Amino acid sequence: MNNRYLKARTLARAKHKDQRYGAVPYYVHLEAVSRLASPFGTDAMIVAQLHDVVEDTETSVEELAADFGYLVADAVAYMSDGKLENRQARKQEVNYRLASLDIDEEAARIALIVKACDRLANVRASLKSPEKYFGLYKQEHPNFKKAVYRKGLCEAIWWELDNLLKYSEAS
């Protein structure tokens, strides 16, 4: 395993140590996103481990840049929700940012891939959860896809995500 990836995983686990993802430690979610991102390379896996560290902890983008470089820091910054209280406003803000990204920029390309992997991991988990997030993800999907999807970028992720939201019975 790559040393940068191990460093990212260790940092993410330390930063999220007291957080939960439903009934399990938060790192379970980070591992799921990282596995989905693995076909897209080590940088995508590193961003997957760190994708929530700025929005959920006191970690700054500058700290990530110092430890992992600007590619990783920029990708995490692109996909991080703002600190707005209202979920709808947060999602609208991040979707606006993601919609403007150009996949010719490597950090933007990785951010869009990991954001799709994150949503797929969340939807998969919501199918097994007593909480009612599946319906929320289904409702948000058209705006999310409009902002994040880029033809040819990570089609298998989108295929599964679209099909889970279209054909699953949870809600």
Side-chain angles (χ1 to χ4, degrees):
M1 211 173 270
N2 179 293
N3 283 342
R4 288 177 63 239
Y5 174 76
L6 292 174
K7 182 178 178 180
R9 187 172 75 178
T10 301
L11 178 69
R13 285 185 181 202
K15 295 286 187 171
H16 292 286
K17 71 177 168 47
D18 295 326
Q19 295 175 351
R20 308 287 295 165
Y21 186 80
V24 298
Y26 201 80
Y27 74 81
V28 171
H29 169 64
L30 301 176
E31 291 295 323
V33 179
S34 187
R35 275 191 304 278
L36 288 167
S38 66
F40 304 98
T42 302
D43 286 329
M45 292 173 65
I46 290 168
V47 171
Q49 285 290 333
L50 300 171
H51 77 275
D52 282 334
V53 78
V54 170
E55 71 185 57
D56 290 349
T57 76
E58 297 301 316
T59 308
S60 70
V61 173
E62 292 75 21
E63 288 175 71
L64 294 182
D67 284 342
F68 299 97
Y70 287 102
L71 175 75
V72 168
D74 288 349
V76 171
Y78 286 146
M79 54 187 303
S80 293
D81 283 359
K83 302 292 184 185
L84 301 171
E85 290 292 320
N86 177 289
R87 179 184 172 91
Q88 184 178 357
R90 281 193 322 270
K91 296 306 175 187
Q92 188 174 4
E93 178 186 68
V94 76
N95 283 348
Y96 180 78
R97 184 179 332 114
L98 293 167
S100 72
L101 296 181
D102 181 350
I103 62 169
D104 289 336
E105 179 199 350
E106 186 68 4
R109 187 183 74 77
I110 290 172
L112 292 166
I113 290 167
V114 175
K115 194 69 174 176
C117 293
D118 178 38
R119 183 53 64 106
L120 178 54
N122 285 332
V123 168
R124 283 177 173 178
S126 75
L127 290 170
K128 302 172 194 160
S129 172
E131 286 116 22
K132 299 295 181 192
Y133 288 110
F134 181 83
L136 185 62
Y137 296 135
K138 192 171 188 170
Q139 177 187 349
E140 291 174 347
H141 189 64
N143 289 334
F144 177 79
K145 187 169 184 177
K146 184 177 179 184
V148 180
Y149 177 76
R150 303 297 190 280
K151 185 173 176 58
L153 190 56
C154 52
E155 293 295 333
I157 300 295
W158 284 103
W159 183 87
E160 183 178 348
L161 184 55
D162 288 341
N163 280 290
L164 283 176
L165 290 167
K166 185 174 182 179
Y167 297 114
S168 295
E169 297 298 320
S171 41

